[in-house]
Amino acid sequence: MTSTVPAFGTRTAEGSALQAVLLDMDGTLVDTEGFWWDAEVEVFAALGHRLDEAWRDVVVGGPMSRSAGFLIEATGADITLDELTVLLNDGFEDRISRALPLMPGAARLLAELSAHEVPTALVSASHRRIIDRVLGSVGAHHFALTVAGDEVARTKPHPDPYLLAASGLGADPARCAVIEDTATGVAAAEAAGCRVVAVPSVAPIGPAAGRTVVPSLEHVDLSFLRGLMSTAAPRR
């Protein structure tokens, strides 16, 4: 976990109770959920197996151990989890070295959060080697802290990554706005007691108490995120 946490009060200068913004990476800030699936399809094809398109919704947003483990079991491929993890990370890195498209509205939102000095963290189930590659394009300066999936004992859908990020920023989880694109990430953020903005990428996500669903980041700005704090507290 990297951290350069700025000092900040419990309320912003404008009086909002928003204390921090915590963002997922794949499918939320960068349009890479398809890259992971393409890498999985390629690796398993080389092993002599064809992936069922229906499995895509099962593995999306999950930690590497869960997604890779599911695919090994589903296909019966003769490969260990550790071996597969290396191959998938290699395949993904190769793809982002050629192109790393941002999601619509991502650059504008990150610039706005930075301009207003809102404590912001990147919280991803991807491994540190992947996050650091992506940060080179997205801009590490936008984040006071980053949490990788291989740096916590329990990653998403467990609340641990978001609880760690909130603690690292000195924020109350209930005063943190989380932006996620998958049901797995939403479950982690809600279990941590955060306010959640769901921006579905591959699979639909329905509305729920303490959760707001929007079609893209183009609908999200700082005023919107501050407004979340005035609604009823999410159930924990």
Side-chain angles (χ1 to χ4, degrees), residues 34-112:
F35 288 6
W36 281 115
W37 179 248
D38 290 346
E40 288 159 351
V41 168
E42 181 179 79
V43 168
F44 277 90
L47 294 170
H49 298 276
R50 185 170 182 269
L51 300 188
D52 189 322
E53 186 70 24
W55 297 340
R56 184 171 182 172
D57 288 350
V58 178
V59 300
V60 66
M64 179 72 74
S65 58
R66 190 195 74 184
S67 299
F70 169 82
L71 292 174
I72 290 173
E73 183 175 354
T75 61
D78 184 18
I79 190 171
T80 68
L81 181 60
D82 287 344
E83 291 169 338
L84 180 56
T85 295
V86 172
L87 292 177
L88 292 179
N89 277 327
D90 286 347
F92 183 80
E93 272 198 272
D94 176 63
R95 284 165 171 77
I96 63 175
S97 69
R98 288 180 267 142
L100 186 59
L102 293 180
M103 297 299 287
R108 187 262 315 149
L109 177 60
L110 289 175
E112 183 180 16

